[in-house]
Amino acid sequence: MATIRFLGAAQEVTGSCHLLESEEIGKVLLDCGMHQGGDIIDRLESEDFAFNPHSVDAVVLSHAHLDHSGMLPKLVNQGFNGPIYCTQATADLLDIMLRDSAGLYERDLERENLRRKRQGKKLLKPQYRMQDVERTLSLCVGLEYCEQVLLGANAKLRLHDAGHILGSAIVEITFNERGKDKCLVFSGDLGKRDAVLMNDPSYLKKANVVLMESTYGDREHKNEDDTLEQLESILAETWQRGGNVMIPSFAVGRTQELLFYLGCLHQQGKLDNWQIFLDSPMAIEVTRIYEKWVELLDPKDTAHLHLDHHKPLEDFLPNLFMAVTPEDSMAINKIARGAIVIAGSGMCNGGRIRHHFKQRIWNKNNTLIFVGFQARGTLGRILVDGAKHIKLFGEPYLVKARIETLGGFSAHAGQSGLIKWIGQFKPQPKVVLVHGEPLAQQALADKLWQEQQLAVEIPALNHSMVF
């Protein structure tokens, strides 16, 4: 009998990892994500695989975000040598994201070992090296949406557009086991309908088992018009105070969505006085990948900004400056007012955004805008929850900047979107909620029972299910 073991994103929203085992297809890993929050060295040291990586036959990757892909180099380092199936656009994004993550890890590990050497402590060995990233990228098999490939001897794999970020996929695996046809669908991260730049998530009709994300299972998002109006209002208020705006943003998806919204405001003549800085070398590279794969984006939105293969996105936002070098980033500190700074990381655990916090978070005239989910244990979540004192680079800082949250920017489906998506399956499959915090999952479970008489399972970490 086929089994699924839930090894990450079980009653939490990071570290997506599920192991599918069957006589027909062997061992297939659905995602291999890193937990977000805390120190990357501690995470890599403490997170051991609950299986032998050498025994895994294949990985199917839903999308490129690190909480779904970030442990792939460690998996390869420990012996995995099979194919990594993903969309072609995801493979392109991985080339950027895994190299960037490895570079940060190598620098942090070097600093930690220098500290340990001074203290006479045992040095840490790297959990993976850049050569493991190179090997990981070489194992990627890029697929088109709806292209069918064999997974093992008899199983069939297809990827469908999840509408979450560029290249994101819903995974469909069909196989026959002991004379019974079976189908497993893994939603990955589902986008919301009418999301900026993204197509609507694909609706599938049949499955025996569905693993469905539940990040926003307890709430809805604001619509596009309300979000744009709120952003415009925040910018106007900050301008009147003579302040600056800081926006922590994920390099993939959220940054491109922000640039679209700012482009809309520019077209309306509402950004003439603002200077906009994209202070993230990785986000700049990712934006180029979005331009390469513009045919995968929503044609209505790309037409709105006249995007095509020949013009870069910033051509439609002339106030935009790409801060590539550290010197470019530091120069932003000299601007007293009127700067919109978009920088990584999205949950404030690293990246250049923390340096901007150091310069501006203690000033009441400034505004900090969150445009994405902040997981438990991250600096972003601490700030959203109202912390007045934080530590940056070992030093205490008083939080006086205004904290705002734009819910309409989420790349995840809200409660009604999740309910509508799962409701398309006929007959009702067995539904398992993953990638969500307990309160959100329970709220979604209650709603699904009320509206569809659909009972769901909410597995704990390391729980296994037979189907």
Side-chain angles (χ1 to χ4, degrees):
M1 296 290 287
T3 63
I4 310 167
R5 189 175 175 192
F6 304 95
L7 302 173
Q11 300 184 29
E12 59 181 350
V13 295
T14 68
S16 179
C17 186
H18 315 290
L19 182 62
L20 170 64
E21 295 186 60
S22 165
E23 296 173 358
E24 297 299 320
I25 61 178
K27 294 183 178 181
V28 176
L29 204 61
L30 305 176
D31 285 349
C32 190
M34 178 182 291
H35 282 83
Q36 304 294 288
D39 180 79
I40 186 172
I41 296 174
D42 292 339
R43 292 199 302 270
L44 287 171
E45 286 287 326
S46 62
E47 289 188 30
D48 293 321
F49 295 114
F51 52 85
N52 180 359
H54 187 73
S55 70
V56 175
D57 297 292
V59 174
V60 182
L61 184 62
S62 65
H63 64 286
H65 277 150
L66 290 178
D67 64 322
H68 293 256
S69 69
M71 293 292 279
L72 285 171
K74 182 172 179 176
L75 187 77
V76 169
N77 176 274
Q78 295 191 5
F80 173 73
N81 195 39
I84 301 171
Y85 295 104
C86 59
T87 64
Q88 295 170 346
T90 292
D92 280 353
L93 291 173
L94 280 180
D95 195 310
I96 297 170
M97 300 192 71
L98 293 184
R99 291 182 194 278
D100 179 81
S101 180
L104 292 173
Y105 171 55
E106 287 180 342
R107 289 192 291 273
D108 286 353
L109 185 62
E110 182 179 2
R111 284 194 293 266
E112 174 62 19
N113 276 335
L114 282 173
R115 185 182 69 83
R116 285 173 169 261
K117 188 175 182 179
R118 289 194 300 266
Q119 296 175 350
K121 294 181 179 179
K122 183 180 178 180
L123 303 186
L124 298 175
K125 294 182 179 180
Q127 296 294 307
Y128 71 86
R129 300 178 184 274
M130 192 63 76
Q131 65 196 42
D132 297 309
V133 173
E134 299 284 355
R135 179 63 179 157
T136 299
L137 296 172
S138 74
L139 295 175
C140 288
V141 179
L143 306 178
E144 295 182 3
Y145 285 128
C146 297
E147 178 183 353
Q148 184 170 278
V149 296
L150 284 176
L151 192 64
N154 301 306
K156 297 174 182 177
L157 166 69
R158 288 198 301 173
L159 303 178
H160 306 268
D161 194 345
H164 174 61
I165 63 168
L166 180 69
S168 60
I170 299 164
V171 177
E172 178 188 25
I173 298 174
T174 57
F175 58 101
N176 185 284
E177 188 176 55
R178 301 180 184 179
K180 291 185 178 181
D181 290 329
K182 295 185 177 181
C183 178
L184 177 140
V185 169
F186 170 45
S187 72
D189 285 355
L190 289 173
K192 61 182 181 181
R193 291 180 59 82
D194 300 320
V196 168
L197 295 178
M198 293 294 105
N199 295 305
D200 291 346
S202 301
Y203 286 128
L204 280 66
K205 302 295 183 181
K206 292 186 178 181
N208 299 99
V209 175
V210 177
L211 311 185
M212 184 175 75
E213 72 117 318
S214 50
T215 311
Y216 287 97
D218 59 346
R219 72 194 87 166
E220 300 292 353
H221 305 302
K222 292 184 178 180
N223 62 37
E224 180 178 334
D225 290 340
D226 289 344
T227 299
L228 195 58
E229 183 178 330
Q230 185 183 1
L231 176 60
E232 181 183 346
S233 175
I234 292 170
L235 293 179
E237 291 172 3
T238 307
W239 183 268
Q240 289 299 319
R241 295 197 306 271
N244 299 278
V245 171
M246 299 170 286
I247 308 179
S249 185
F250 297 100
V252 182
R254 196 56 41 79
T255 291
Q256 292 72 37
E257 188 177 0
L258 272 168
L259 294 178
F260 175 88
Y261 275 116
L262 291 171
C264 291
L265 290 176
H266 170 73
Q267 288 186 349
Q268 298 169 20
K270 296 175 179 177
L271 281 183
D272 293 342
N273 296 316
W274 284 98
Q275 298 178 73
I276 305 164
F277 298 89
L278 179 52
D279 190 15
S280 169
M282 184 168 67
I284 294 168
E285 290 186 72
V286 167
T287 300
R288 301 296 177 237
I289 300 296
Y290 267 67
E291 292 162 0
K292 173 184 175 181
W293 291 100
V294 68
E295 71 271 12
L296 296 181
L297 304 177
D298 186 337
K300 300 190 302 296
D301 289 338
T302 55
H304 180 72
L305 287 186
H306 311 291
L307 288 175
D308 57 38
H309 293 285
H310 308 293
K311 292 184 177 181
L313 185 62
E314 65 263 33
D315 277 10
F316 309 101
L317 193 53
N319 318 44
L320 179 64
F321 178 77
M322 301 289 201
V324 177
T325 68
E327 291 74 21
D328 290 337
S329 180
M330 288 185 286
I332 301 171
N333 297 334
K334 299 176 183 177
I335 299 175
R337 58 171 295 175
I340 300 173
V341 184
I342 304 167
S345 66
M347 295 187 189
C348 312
N349 278 332
R352 294 183 177 180
I353 193 64
R354 292 167 70 95
H355 292 276
H356 292 293
F357 284 177
K358 181 178 177 181
Q359 298 293 326
R360 306 187 191 276
I361 204 164
W362 43 266
N363 188 332
K364 65 180 182 180
N365 294 330
N366 296 327
T367 303
L368 169 57
I369 304 177
F370 286 100
V371 293
F373 188 87
Q374 304 298 309
R376 286 176 297 184
T378 64
L379 176 59
R381 181 63 167 266
I382 291 169
L383 287 165
V384 167
D385 287 345
K388 297 302 180 184
H389 299 86
I390 61 172
K391 274 197 171 185
L392 297 168
F393 311 104
E395 297 291 331
Y397 284 83
L398 189 61
V399 179
K400 288 188 175 181
R402 295 196 184 188
I403 309 295
E404 301 280 358
T405 299
L406 291 180
F409 275 94
S410 177
H412 290 263
Q415 186 187 74
S416 61
L418 293 169
I419 290 172
K420 183 173 183 178
W421 185 81
I422 199 66
Q424 305 303 305
F425 289 89
K426 305 295 181 187
Q428 287 183 339
K430 178 181 287 188
V431 177
V432 182
L433 299 186
V434 295
H435 205 283
E437 294 183 352
L439 291 177
Q441 291 183 318
Q442 191 58 55
L444 180 59
D446 293 343
K447 198 75 170 178
L448 285 169
W449 178 252
Q450 293 169 11
E451 295 192 5
Q452 300 180 12
Q453 288 71 57
L454 177 60
V456 303
E457 294 189 24
I458 303 175
L461 189 65
N462 290 319
H463 173 77
S464 294
M465 184 185 77
V466 178
F467 76 100

